Amino acid sequence: MLSIQNLHASIEDKKILNGIDLQINAGEVHAIMGPNGSGKSTLASVLAGRNDYEVTYGSVEFDGVDLLEMSPEERAREGLFLAFQYPIEIPGVSTTNFIKTAVNETRKHRGLEPLDAVAFLKLMKERMKLVKIDQSLLSRSLNEGFSGGEKKRNEIFQMAMLEPKLAILDETDSGLDIDALRIVADGVNTLKRADNAVLLITHYQRLLDYIVPDFVHVLYNGRIVKSGGKELALELEERGYDFIKQEVAEEV
Amino acid sequence: MSEMIETLEQTALSDYKYGFVTDIEADEAPLGLNEDIIRFISQKKCEPEWMLKWRLKAFRYWLSIEDKEPTWANISYPKIDYQNIRYYSAPKQKIAPGSLDEIDPELRKTFDKLGISLNEQNRLSGIAVDAVIDSVSIGTTFKAQLAEQGIIFCSITEAIQHHPDLVKKYMGSVVPMTDNYFAALNSAVFTDGSFCYIPKGVRCPMELSTYFRINAENTGQFERTLLVADEGAYVSYLEGCTAPMRDENQLHAAVVELVALDSAEIKYSTVQNWYPGDKEGKGGIYNFVTKRGICGANAKISWTQVETGSAITWKYPSVILKGDNAVGEFYSVAVTNNFQQADTGTKMLHVGKNTRSRIVSKGISAGRSNNSYRGLVQVGKNAHHSRNFSQCDSLLLGDKCGAHTFPYIETKNSTSIVEHEATTSKIGEDQIFYCNQRGIDTETAIALIINGFAKEVMNQLPMEFAVEAQKLLAISLEGSVG
Ligand SMILES: Nc1ncnc2c1ncn2[C@@H]1O[C@H](COP(=O)(O)OP(=O)(O)O)[C@@H](O)[C@H]1O
Ligand SMILES: [Mg+2]
């Protein structure tokens, strides 16, 4: 589904990604872990098409097409979803109206009729249950004055509405208490199917107790320095990132 | 600088779809302004002597202040040559068509193109229209039906001829001819406009509206509108305006007076879409307008304006809250793009006790434009327990435009409360990217954000026009983003 080859990216001439290789197939859950500043969010942003970042080398294929050639909105309509580490506030635009626009733009792209108010509301009601989000929250301005947890839940709710092929969740777990974490994880698990995939970006092993990854990768200094199964997360939890840093230092 | 900001600044103005010129033979005054021109206008309008005298008085006053064009507004433009303007231009046809069927087909087509049908059968029910092209009104729909309830809705020219007592009593009573430079000029040379009178206790059963269209070249438009709602009456009124695209600037200096007698209510909505000039700032309408209403006891006047057009806008719809418990409202969305300049706001003058006013101003600036809110809230010494609330929000697209807020508050009464809130925000790249990431393209994202920002004002518009106005907002900003 997603094939990243030797990806290099920089911002304002500062090199951040230094050769990422990653292969994600349909049905898989991958986790990317790594210390602060290692480039996790940068990778997510580059994949989503944020144009502050310059891809200096490498290629990314998404479902067999060149992802880097597409505009951010095309990527989204093709089924790439990013749950933001810091969701953005848009005053004056109700969450419902925003999501409705998003859903219908995506439908238009796929040659489907837009959902009318009734059908949309029905879909919304159904998906709201998945993340136990409240109707009153959705009638408020998008993310404005939402608590940290509400913002994250709203991201997963949008994911549920848009049903992406590939969902990238950037530290969706941080800032969530244990109950909220469980709700979010349950939501993600329910949405998991054989024909979609998830890329979890996280700091902590905690989330991976609930969403069990097939593969764990460690990102450090803009490169994937170690990959393994879910045990790798536990090892990291136990030993911290220092041993990775040490290993990397020894290799050089 | 990132690409998003650059595209924000590309500000290629979308095609102004109302920019066509209708080829109609016109009956015109020569260029220039003097007493003879005023006599010419008055004669063309078959006016009684008292009207001519009134005009001449205004003209003499204007002459005395001719070099004192106001300079306090936050706008700049080359000096206007008042002798190089044509003060009267009428489509050549019978001045007052006997019925709507007699309107010149070319003129009818013009209004059809603007989406305004003068054919009563084809009209959306519930809206009566007075259509003004250049200096004359060419027809008013639903007149007979309105007359059944005693409602007078006609051109001001007709009102001067047929309802002189009402006109004499109220014209100049809210905006005196000496009020300001442009009001004086208008009082001298006004050509047409709408007149409306709603009798005591009558609720006008349909929206009334006037469409103004400048067509002829080098022509100024000076319309005069007078609305009187007698005690306990109600009316909702809408004006719309468009003009052809021309390279030279054209002057529009209107006066609108509203009189809401005790317990009456007037809701006045404007969708102003005069030609704004091209993306280099060439051409466009100079819009210098004086709009004011006066409220008797328990009366209410509400101004709603959506301003997207004009090269320059100088306009402060105001309310004099004279009677006790009177209510004044001002809801405004002003959009400026490219080189447009807007200095607009309101005055709320609290005179009576327990008077209330509410100001909601939303300024949106893009391109290299400048958008200023200027508002005065004045509470007189007898206006006990009065209240004002003002909310002025500015939204910037890109970083070459400007937003300014000039609130003036003068209170002479300690039992009254005046509150002012202001915010300035920018459509951020983060917001656009967030929308993009959900499959929403930048153009749609901007429209979503703009409409969200302006919602409180748009909600005030009559339903039929709200959708139109929303589209207009999006169109005015089209091309100001990637
Ligand atoms: N807009 C930016 N300008 C300059 N440096 C940036 C910018 N965004 C991220 N960086 C830098 O890139 C590196 C990686 O950041 P990020 O991808 O956010 O890391 P992570 O998500 O792994 O914590 C950090 O050193 C950070 O300071
Ligand atoms: Mg991060």
Side-chain angles (χ1 to χ4, degrees), chain A residues 208-224:
Chain A
L208 307 181
D209 287 339
Y210 299 96
I211 308 173
V212 183
D214 301 298
F215 301 95
V216 175
H217 312 277
V218 182
L219 190 68
Y220 180 60
N221 274 345
R223 284 192 310 124
I224 289 176

Side-chain angles (χ1 to χ4, degrees), chain A residues 11-12 14-17 34-43 52-53 85 170-171 201 203 219:
Chain A
I11 185 161
E12 287 160 7
K14 181 176 166 196
K15 295 178 74 177
I16 300 180
L17 301 184
N36 269 332
S38 58
K40 302 183 298 294
S41 292
T42 301
L43 175 62
D52 310 10
Y53 297 92
Q85 181 174 1
D170 191 358
E171 297 206 23
I201 294 174
H203 232 48
L219 190 68

Side-chain angles (χ1 to χ4, degrees), chain B residues 444-480:
Chain B
T444 309
I446 299 277
L448 200 66
I449 295 170
I450 297 288
N451 282 314
F453 175 75
K455 195 164 52 190
E456 202 181 340
V457 175
M458 304 304 256
N459 286 345
Q460 296 296 323
L461 286 175
M463 267 281 271
E464 297 86 336
F465 303 105
V467 178
E468 210 44 45
Q470 256 190 26
K471 275 191 218 144
L472 195 59
L473 283 193
I475 291 170
S476 321
L477 291 166
E478 214 167 78
S480 63

Side-chain angles (χ1 to χ4, degrees), chain A residues 61 119 150 162:
Chain A
E61 267 189 21
E150 286 168 337
L162 291 164

Side-chain angles (χ1 to χ4, degrees), chain B residues 122-380:
Chain B
N122 291 356
R123 275 299 310 162
L124 283 165
S125 56
I127 304 163
V129 181
D130 183 24
V132 176
I133 190 157
D134 294 334
S135 306
V136 292
S137 163
I138 60 156
T140 309
T141 63
F142 292 107
K143 246 172 155 164
Q145 201 176 322
L146 291 166
E148 281 168 24
Q149 301 198 43
I151 297 169
I152 305 168
F153 181 42
C154 63
S155 70
I156 196 94
T157 303
E158 255 182 282
I160 290 165
Q161 290 165 13
H162 303 305
H163 309 284
D165 294 346
L166 284 172
V167 176
K168 265 192 213 166
K169 183 165 178 191
Y170 293 111
M171 186 147 78
S173 71
V174 193
V175 180
M177 59 172 70
T178 52
D179 189 77
N180 68 70
Y181 190 85
F182 297 105
L185 180 64
N186 174 286
S187 301
V189 303
F190 74 89
T191 41
D192 223 328
S194 297
F195 174 79
C196 168
Y197 173 78
I198 316 285
K200 240 181 222 179
V202 171
R203 202 183 158 83
C204 186
M206 54 179 85
E207 300 277 345
L208 302 185
S209 66
T210 304
Y211 280 89
F212 294 102
R213 172 80 181 166
I214 298 179
N215 190 57
E217 219 171 326
N218 282 324
T219 303
Q221 177 139 327
F222 304 92
E223 84 264 2
R224 184 118 199 159
T225 297
L226 176 58
L227 256 69
V228 180
D230 212 325
E231 290 171 20
Y234 169 85
V235 63
S236 168
Y237 182 93
L238 182 117
E239 62 168 10
C241 1
T242 58
M245 293 197 248
R246 294 190 188 280
D247 283 349
E248 86 270 15
N249 298 104
Q250 281 180 289
L251 178 62
H252 172 253
V255 171
V256 175
E257 295 177 279
L258 309 184
V259 179
L261 297 179
D262 292 356
S263 304
E265 181 176 348
I266 300 176
K267 194 174 159 60
Y268 193 104
S269 315
T270 304
V271 176
Q272 188 267 107
N273 187 23
W274 294 118
Y275 177 53
D278 69 10
K279 56 177 185 270
E280 267 83 49
K282 199 164 182 202
I285 302 292
Y286 289 170
N287 193 31
F288 295 95
V289 171
T290 306
K291 290 182 159 173
R292 192 175 304 149
I294 189 163
C295 283
N298 305 305
K300 178 176 175 183
I301 288 179
S302 180
W303 296 101
T304 302
Q305 56 171 23
V306 177
E307 305 273 315
T308 60
S310 296
I312 290 177
T313 301
W314 180 99
K315 177 177 167 186
Y316 316 89
S318 307
V319 185
I320 304 168
L321 300 155
K322 188 158 175 253
D324 293 348
N325 311 312
V327 178
E329 292 176 339
F330 173 76
Y331 292 95
S332 169
V333 178
V335 181
T336 53
N337 196 358
N338 299 309
F339 288 87
Q340 281 178 274
Q341 307 174 62
D343 192 299
T344 184
T346 184
K347 285 191 253 180
M348 292 292 173
L349 310 172
H350 294 257
V351 181
K353 287 194 274 294
N354 290 316
T355 49
R356 277 168 295 145
S357 66
R358 182 179 176 80
I359 297 171
V360 178
S361 161
K362 305 274 179 175
I364 302 166
S365 342
R368 291 163 180 273
S369 67
N370 250 312
N371 204 327
S372 304
Y373 166 80
R374 188 180 303 278
L376 168 67
V377 176
Q378 199 177 63
V379 182

Side-chain angles (χ1 to χ4, degrees), chain B residues 29-43:
Chain B
L31 290 177
L33 183 56
N34 52 52
E35 292 204 359
D36 286 343
I37 294 285
I38 289 164
R39 286 175 208 282
F40 174 89
I41 294 170
S42 187
Q43 195 181 8

Side-chain angles (χ1 to χ4, degrees), chain A residues 32-33 40 83-85 148-149 152-153 155-156 169-178 180-182 184-185 188 200-211 237:
Chain A
I32 291 190
M33 304 181 73
K40 302 183 298 294
F84 285 66
Q85 181 174 1
K152 296 301 178 77
R153 234 189 273 187
E155 294 293 288
I156 302 307
L169 312 187
D170 191 358
E171 297 206 23
T172 301
D173 52 333
S174 51
L176 293 184
D177 60 34
I178 195 73
L181 182 70
R182 204 175 275 143
V184 162
V188 173
L200 295 171
I201 294 174
T202 180
H203 232 48
Y204 309 102
Q205 126 78 20
R206 182 174 86 137
L207 175 70
L208 307 181
D209 287 339
Y210 299 96
I211 308 173
E237 177 84 350

Side-chain angles (χ1 to χ4, degrees), chain A residues 50 77 82 89 92 155 158, chain B residues 430-431 434 438-439 455:
Chain A
R50 185 153 196 149
R77 291 169 193 165
L82 171 61
E89 302 186 358
E155 294 293 288
Q158 293 177 45
Chain B
D430 284 353
Q431 292 175 326
Y434 190 75
R438 298 300 186 249
K455 195 164 52 190

